[in-house]
Amino acid sequence: MSSAESSAERLSLREARRAVCYPRPDTPYCDRLLEELEEAGVEYYVALGSYRKPGLPLLGSGWAGNVFAAVWRGVLVAVKALRPDSRRRSMLRECLLSSLAAAYGIAPRVYACTLHSIIYRLVRGPTLSRYKPGSRWEARLVLRRLLYKAYLLDRLGVDHGELVRPGGQVLVEDSEPWIVDFDSASARRKPRNLTSLAAGVSRLPWARSMVMPSNEPRVREALRRYRRSLSLEAFEEVLEAMGL
Ligand SMILES: Nc1ncnc2c1ncn2[C@@H]1O[C@H](COP(=O)(O)OP(=O)(O)O)[C@@H](O)[C@H]1O
Ligand SMILES: [Mg+2]
């Protein structure tokens, strides 16, 4: 644990309910969620993160979930809890697909799932949109690792669904990209992760000058060949055509 992490304030889940159940802490759902988290072994909420709207910090908050740091069975973790105002009923499908991706090192390790939450590894690093590579070499490494993870997802038959806008769906820690947010993922559609991500990364300000845009004829042709075979050779040709 870093010193910022060990000095961060710890609160009981009930004391932190305005963050855990943002934006509707006074709902019966919130009582059920807190009970469920306690039963699963979540001991404390930890005040870490830069999302400050609830009055207490969160690591992030999106359409589906509030993500906060917590102590679970003595370990510092991240918890994604279904937001009280979400239309979704459970986190189970997302948890299943995240666990599958985590088993292949694509997503952060999943420790436990409950009906309305995922308990998984806390990634200490910025989102891809806030990430600033230390060097061109490092930027290239991150992009290659990330595209490789998209290739693995394609092979697994899981379509992430939001990799055209990878800025908030990827976290970078020590030059390793981790894909998060399997909220829109599906194992029923034909996966298009690499194709989507190739378009997505060429729009990131820091990567734009390093990669060929995905509508460039050579990249398009390589992606077309890749979609037909999903082979490692075809994937490597895509990297080459992109200039990586
Ligand atoms: N394991 C994690 N470690 C640290 N921060 C995380 C983790 N998972 C998610 N976050 C943060 O929370 C934000 C929202 O998570 P996300 O899964 O995208 O939720 P939503 O489905 O609501 O969009 C992310 O963009 C990221 O900043
Ligand atoms: Mg998201």
Side-chain angles (χ1 to χ4, degrees):
M1 234 182 256
S2 74
S3 66
E5 285 172 1
S6 51
S7 64
E9 195 183 2
R10 291 178 175 199
L11 298 173
S12 73
L13 290 174
R14 279 159 211 284
E15 285 172 307
R17 63 188 289 153
R18 69 193 140 120
V20 174
C21 300
Y22 174 76
R24 293 194 197 141
D26 301 317
T27 47
Y29 163 74
C30 186
D31 292 321
R32 281 203 302 281
L33 174 66
L34 296 181
E35 246 169 61
E36 198 180 295
L37 292 171
E38 281 164 359
E39 231 164 73
V42 180
E43 292 155 7
Y44 303 102
Y45 153 94
V46 180
L48 284 172
S50 53
Y51 188 86
R52 296 185 174 266
K53 259 200 223 160
L56 281 171
L58 290 171
L59 296 169
S61 183
W63 287 111
N66 293 316
V67 184
F68 60 95
V71 175
W72 169 80
R73 302 189 182 171
V75 183
L76 186 68
V77 297
V79 177
K80 178 169 179 176
L82 198 64
R83 274 174 65 134
D85 56 344
S86 167
R87 270 178 294 142
R88 267 173 58 195
R89 300 243 176 125
S90 100
M91 207 55 118
L92 290 181
R93 205 178 54 96
E94 179 172 348
C95 204
L96 181 74
L97 294 173
S98 301
S99 304
L100 180 62
Y104 287 84
I106 301 163
R109 180 170 167 193
V110 176
Y111 299 116
C113 299
T114 73
L115 185 56
H116 300 108
S117 77
I118 306 175
I119 299 165
Y120 57 147
R121 195 170 75 76
L122 176 77
V123 181
R124 288 128 165 123
T127 58
L128 199 60
S129 54
R130 292 202 183 156
Y131 165 69
K132 293 201 173 49
S135 63
R136 230 181 136 74
W137 180 86
E138 187 191 306
R140 186 165 172 265
L141 174 69
V142 169
L143 290 172
R144 286 177 61 101
R145 288 287 298 157
L146 180 56
L147 290 160
Y148 180 66
K149 288 187 174 186
Y151 158 71
L152 287 181
L153 271 182
D154 282 343
R155 297 287 311 213
L156 282 172
V158 174
D159 188 42
H160 181 280
E162 289 187 36
L163 294 178
V164 230
R165 282 174 299 278
Q169 328 297 343
V170 177
L171 301 172
V172 185
E173 179 187 67
D174 297 334
S175 306
E176 180 67 11
W178 295 98
I179 300 179
V180 295
D181 199 359
F182 286 75
D183 175 35
S184 312
S186 168
R188 293 196 186 152
R189 302 188 289 263
K190 191 170 159 46
R192 292 180 61 88
N193 299 297
L194 185 67
T195 302
S196 305
L197 192 61
V201 296
S202 62
R203 288 198 213 106
L204 292 168
W206 60 267
R208 214 179 299 154
S209 65
M210 302 186 51
V211 299
M212 283 290 176
S214 65
N215 57 7
E216 203 264 343
R218 226 189 116 212
V219 182
R220 261 176 41 198
E221 184 48 41
L223 281 168
R224 204 173 301 137
R225 275 200 303 275
Y226 166 77
R227 281 196 299 273
R228 277 202 297 269
S229 70
L230 292 191
S231 71
L232 185 60
E233 290 74 21
F235 164 68
E236 282 167 349
E237 278 167 27
V238 172
L239 287 186
E240 209 192 304
M242 289 176 77
L244 290 168

